[in-house]
PDB file of all heavy atoms in Angstrom:
ATOM      1  N   GLU A 375      86.949 -17.486  -5.526  1.00 98.00           N
ATOM      2  CA  GLU A 375      87.582 -17.255  -6.837  1.00 98.00           C
ATOM      3  C   GLU A 375      88.561 -18.351  -7.234  1.00 98.00           C
ATOM      4  O   GLU A 375      89.148 -18.287  -8.306  1.00 98.00           O
ATOM      5  CB  GLU A 375      88.273 -15.883  -6.949  1.00 98.00           C
ATOM      6  CG  GLU A 375      88.635 -15.204  -5.726  1.00 98.00           C
ATOM      7  CD  GLU A 375      89.235 -13.799  -5.886  1.00 98.00           C
ATOM      8  OE1 GLU A 375      88.619 -12.928  -6.511  1.00 98.00           O
ATOM      9  OE2 GLU A 375      90.315 -13.610  -5.318  1.00 98.00           O
ATOM     10  N   HIS A 376      88.735 -19.367  -6.410  1.00 98.00           N
ATOM     11  CA  HIS A 376      89.743 -20.388  -6.732  1.00 98.00           C
ATOM     12  C   HIS A 376      89.344 -21.167  -7.989  1.00 98.00           C
ATOM     13  O   HIS A 376      88.241 -21.716  -8.066  1.00 98.00           O
ATOM     14  CB  HIS A 376      89.924 -21.350  -5.556  1.00 98.00           C
ATOM     15  CG  HIS A 376      91.219 -22.088  -5.615  1.00 98.00           C
ATOM     16  ND1 HIS A 376      91.505 -23.015  -6.587  1.00 98.00           N
ATOM     17  CD2 HIS A 376      92.336 -22.002  -4.845  1.00 98.00           C
ATOM     18  CE1 HIS A 376      92.721 -23.485  -6.405  1.00 98.00           C
ATOM     19  NE2 HIS A 376      93.255 -22.881  -5.354  1.00 98.00           N
ATOM     20  N   PRO A 377      90.247 -21.261  -8.963  1.00 98.00           N
ATOM     21  CA  PRO A 377      89.871 -21.910 -10.239  1.00 98.00           C
ATOM     22  C   PRO A 377      89.570 -23.408 -10.129  1.00 98.00           C
ATOM     23  O   PRO A 377      88.896 -23.952 -10.993  1.00 98.00           O
ATOM     24  CB  PRO A 377      91.089 -21.665 -11.145  1.00 98.00           C
ATOM     25  CG  PRO A 377      92.190 -21.237 -10.250  1.00 98.00           C
ATOM     26  CD  PRO A 377      91.593 -20.670  -9.014  1.00 98.00           C
ATOM     27  N   LYS A 378      90.066 -24.062  -9.073  1.00 98.00           N
ATOM     28  CA  LYS A 378      89.784 -25.504  -8.969  1.00 98.00           C
ATOM     29  C   LYS A 378      88.473 -25.794  -8.221  1.00 98.00           C
ATOM     30  O   LYS A 378      88.100 -26.952  -8.056  1.00 98.00           O
ATOM     31  CB  LYS A 378      90.949 -26.224  -8.284  1.00 98.00           C
ATOM     32  CG  LYS A 378      92.181 -26.336  -9.176  1.00 98.00           C
ATOM     33  CD  LYS A 378      93.255 -27.163  -8.505  1.00 98.00           C
ATOM     34  CE  LYS A 378      94.509 -27.204  -9.364  1.00 98.00           C
ATOM     35  NZ  LYS A 378      95.680 -27.612  -8.571  1.00 98.00           N
ATOM     36  N   VAL A 379      87.821 -24.735  -7.742  1.00 98.00           N
ATOM     37  CA  VAL A 379      86.519 -24.927  -7.082  1.00 98.00           C
ATOM     38  C   VAL A 379      85.444 -24.862  -8.157  1.00 98.00           C
ATOM     39  O   VAL A 379      85.391 -23.916  -8.937  1.00 98.00           O
ATOM     40  CB  VAL A 379      86.287 -23.843  -6.003  1.00 98.00           C
ATOM     41  CG1 VAL A 379      84.863 -23.897  -5.465  1.00 98.00           C
ATOM     42  CG2 VAL A 379      87.292 -24.006  -4.864  1.00 98.00           C
ATOM     43  N   ARG A 380      84.574 -25.881  -8.212  1.00 98.00           N
ATOM     44  CA  ARG A 380      83.564 -25.923  -9.278  1.00 98.00           C
ATOM     45  C   ARG A 380      82.185 -25.494  -8.801  1.00 98.00           C
ATOM     46  O   ARG A 380      81.264 -25.311  -9.600  1.00 98.00           O
ATOM     47  CB  ARG A 380      83.475 -27.332  -9.890  1.00 98.00           C
ATOM     48  CG  ARG A 380      84.620 -27.725 -10.791  1.00 98.00           C
ATOM     49  CD  ARG A 380      85.078 -26.655 -11.804  1.00 98.00           C
ATOM     50  NE  ARG A 380      84.001 -25.971 -12.496  1.00 98.00           N
ATOM     51  CZ  ARG A 380      84.057 -24.677 -12.870  1.00 98.00           C
ATOM     52  NH1 ARG A 380      85.113 -23.923 -12.613  1.00 98.00           N
ATOM     53  NH2 ARG A 380      83.047 -24.119 -13.482  1.00 98.00           N
ATOM     54  N   MET A 381      82.027 -25.365  -7.482  1.00 98.00           N
ATOM     55  CA  MET A 381      80.714 -24.951  -6.970  1.00 98.00           C
ATOM     56  C   MET A 381      80.881 -24.234  -5.639  1.00 98.00           C
ATOM     57  O   MET A 381      81.697 -24.643  -4.813  1.00 98.00           O
ATOM     58  CB  MET A 381      79.846 -26.189  -6.754  1.00 98.00           C
ATOM     59  CG  MET A 381      78.579 -25.885  -5.989  1.00 98.00           C
ATOM     60  SD  MET A 381      77.580 -27.358  -5.799  1.00 98.00           S
ATOM     61  CE  MET A 381      76.327 -26.714  -4.702  1.00 98.00           C
ATOM     62  N   MET A 382      80.116 -23.147  -5.453  1.00 98.00           N
ATOM     63  CA  MET A 382      80.077 -22.469  -4.157  1.00 98.00           C
ATOM     64  C   MET A 382      78.686 -22.668  -3.570  1.00 98.00           C
ATOM     65  O   MET A 382      77.680 -22.323  -4.199  1.00 98.00           O
ATOM     66  CB  MET A 382      80.346 -20.965  -4.320  1.00 98.00           C
ATOM     67  CG  MET A 382      81.785 -20.616  -4.655  1.00 98.00           C
ATOM     68  SD  MET A 382      82.988 -21.221  -3.441  1.00 98.00           S
ATOM     69  CE  MET A 382      82.455 -20.388  -1.944  1.00 98.00           C
ATOM     70  N   SER A 383      78.643 -23.229  -2.369  1.00 99.00           N
ATOM     71  CA  SER A 383      77.370 -23.379  -1.672  1.00 99.00           C
ATOM     72  C   SER A 383      77.426 -22.450  -0.470  1.00 99.00           C
ATOM     73  O   SER A 383      78.239 -22.634   0.438  1.00 99.00           O
ATOM     74  CB  SER A 383      77.194 -24.836  -1.234  1.00 99.00           C
ATOM     75  OG  SER A 383      76.028 -24.941  -0.469  1.00 99.00           O
TER      76      SER A 383
END
Side-chain angles (χ1 to χ4, degrees):
E375 21 184 55
H376 200 293
K378 287 185 183 162
V379 171
R380 286 316 316 146
M381 169 179 173
M382 288 303 300
S383 175

